[in-house]
Amino acid sequence: MIFKMASKSRIFYVSIPCVIIAFLCCLFVLSAQVNGKKKEELLGERVQQLMDWSNKRAIIRMNGDKFRQYVKATPRNYSVIIMMTAMQPQRQCSVCRQVSDEFQILANSWRYSQSYSNKLFFASVDYDEGHDVFKALKVTSAPSVIHFPPKGKPKRSDTFDIQRLGFQAEQLAKWVAERTDAGIRVFRPPNYSGTIALGILLTMVAGFLYFRRNNLEFLYNKTMWGVASLSIVFAMTSGQMWNHIRGPPYAHRNPQTGQVSYIHGSSQGQFVAETHIVILLHAAVTIGMILLNKNSITEGDIRKRRVVVAIALGTVVIFFSLLLSVFRAKYQGYPYSFLIK
């Protein structure tokens, strides 16, 4: 009898911890399910809000609070492409407007495409509305385009290289497809300005030839054709075609120091101002060479000829040295220089 009571008490004492453990496990499972449902509901509300904003405007404008709530917060099952910009007039960021126009074309193309879904959103953060976002992301210059993946933090390849690839919507779409697997076919609004300008130019040329139809000797002017040929050569050798394809900014202003750079510090990019500088340097060297060549075969006062030769030679030496210094600035480590380093 005593043995039976002892065994029953032992069973009773052993079963109490088991019941407590089972109860705690049930509580843990239930709390996990509740938390999972809450996260799903929160994610659904977040996605729905982003869809509502995206349906109104292809690019969602964000400040610091929206960025932390809809981009940094987890869970997240969508990608966000954010343009960090500075559009206020006092910032004097001319390239920000150009990048914004291309970014708008890309976002509109995605919004009206057949593959449009809630897995990809486009947003922008202006420095004056979200400087804390710039500080948190350690972004020191604008514009900048960054991809925030559904999981994890952005990697180095999630930042679009504007200086190397340009900022055309087609290049941005190709980069977005690589990062998100979302193929975007860019649709540009029709632009008839080029056609109209060409039509006006042809009309002016035709009208000029018509009024000068009895005197067309200027068409045989060697100087005119020489100047026209040199202008084309200067435009092509200075990188004007690269500017047309890549669409670089005119210059770059350091947002911290305010210093303006007209020469790009890398051989992989250039500014529009740099093209104009190179054209002027090439033109000055060419004019000096023409004066040297022409003055050597003309007859006249020997003193005047010597003065012209000295001026022409000085022009060639100085401007060629400047041209070589620009080349050295872009190609770091180039060993040769002439007068100016």
Side-chain angles (χ1 to χ4, degrees):
M1 184 71 180
I2 296 174
F3 176 76
K4 290 182 178 180
M5 291 178 64
S7 61
K8 287 182 179 179
S9 62
R10 191 180 298 115
I11 293 173
F12 176 76
Y13 287 121
V14 171
S15 62
I16 290 177
C18 294
V19 172
I20 294 174
I21 293 173
F23 179 73
L24 293 175
C25 290
C26 291
L27 286 178
F28 178 78
V29 172
L30 290 174
S31 63
Q33 291 178 351
V34 171
N35 290 333
K37 290 182 179 179
K38 288 183 178 180
K39 289 183 178 180
E40 290 180 0
E41 292 177 358
L42 182 62
L43 177 60
E45 293 175 358
R46 198 181 297 149
V47 172
Q48 185 60 44
Q49 182 62 70
L50 288 172
M51 287 295 293
D52 293 340
W53 286 336
S54 182
N55 290 331
K56 294 178 181 179
R57 296 183 61 177
I59 299 177
I60 303 170
R61 294 187 62 177
M62 289 189 174
N63 52 22
D65 294 334
K66 289 182 178 179
F67 175 82
R68 286 183 287 271
Q69 183 177 357
Y70 294 96
V71 180
K72 295 291 290 183
T74 56
R76 191 175 66 249
N77 62 353
Y78 52 84
S79 295
V80 183
I81 307 295
I82 291 188
M83 176 183 63
M84 314 294 291
T85 186
M87 299 289 286
Q88 297 299 322
Q90 65 269 21
R91 300 301 173 187
Q92 298 181 357
C93 182
S94 59
V95 69
C96 290
R97 174 62 60 184
Q98 301 174 24
V99 175
S100 177
D101 292 341
E102 293 295 317
F103 196 72
Q104 185 70 54
I105 291 174
L106 177 65
N108 288 335
S109 300
W110 167 248
R111 179 182 174 185
Y112 296 108
S113 67
Q114 295 181 353
S115 57
Y116 176 67
S117 67
N118 59 2
K119 299 300 180 182
L120 176 63
F121 297 97
F122 290 87
S124 67
V125 176
D126 193 278
Y127 180 80
D128 293 282
E129 298 175 358
H131 61 275
D132 53 335
V133 179
F134 278 74
K135 185 177 180 180
L137 298 177
K138 298 180 180 180
V139 176
T140 58
S141 61
S144 180
V145 181
I146 305 174
H147 165 241
F148 289 85
K151 296 180 180 180
K153 297 180 180 180
K155 302 177 182 179
R156 184 176 181 180
S157 56
D158 285 314
T159 300
F160 183 73
D161 192 347
I162 293 178
Q163 299 296 338
R164 185 173 63 88
L165 301 175
F167 51 79
Q168 297 296 319
E170 290 77 10
Q171 293 293 335
L172 286 167
K174 183 178 179 181
W175 172 75
V176 170
E178 293 174 355
R179 306 312 306 164
T180 66
D181 295 329
I184 303 176
R185 182 181 178 184
V186 176
F187 294 95
R188 290 185 175 274
N191 185 2
Y192 302 105
S193 59
T195 304
I196 294 173
L198 180 61
I200 293 174
L201 178 62
L202 293 176
T203 302
M204 293 176 63
V205 171
F208 178 76
L209 293 176
Y210 175 78
F211 288 111
R212 293 291 300 271
R213 61 185 182 276
N214 296 325
N215 185 12
L216 299 177
E217 294 181 359
F218 68 94
L219 293 177
Y220 302 97
N221 190 320
K222 296 181 180 180
T223 302
M224 183 192 71
W225 288 110
V227 170
S229 300
L230 285 174
S231 300
I232 296 174
V233 171
F234 291 154
M236 295 297 106
T237 56
S238 63
Q240 189 64 37
M241 187 56 67
W242 192 93
N243 292 342
H244 180 72
I245 296 173
R246 297 295 181 89
Y250 186 82
H252 175 70
R253 178 185 293 273
N254 191 317
Q256 297 178 344
T257 62
Q259 184 179 2
V260 180
S261 300
Y262 298 101
I263 304 296
H264 197 284
S266 171
S267 60
Q268 301 298 322
Q270 69 179 22
F271 300 131
V272 176
E274 180 181 330
T275 302
H276 298 163
I277 293 172
V278 172
I279 287 177
L280 293 177
L281 294 178
H282 276 299
V285 173
T286 303
I287 291 173
M289 293 299 296
I290 292 174
L291 289 176
L292 284 174
N293 181 64
K294 190 174 182 179
N295 193 63
S296 63
I297 59 176
T298 57
E299 297 180 358
D301 188 357
I302 188 65
R303 293 182 179 179
K304 291 182 179 180
R305 292 175 62 186
R306 287 177 179 176
V307 172
V308 173
V309 168
I311 294 174
L313 186 60
T315 301
V316 173
V317 170
I318 293 173
F319 287 99
F320 181 77
S321 179
L322 289 172
L323 191 62
L324 192 60
S325 67
V326 173
F327 186 82
R328 279 173 55 87
K330 294 187 66 65
Y331 291 85
Q332 303 294 333
Y334 185 74
Y336 304 107
S337 63
F338 185 64
L339 293 183
I340 301 174
K341 293 185 178 181

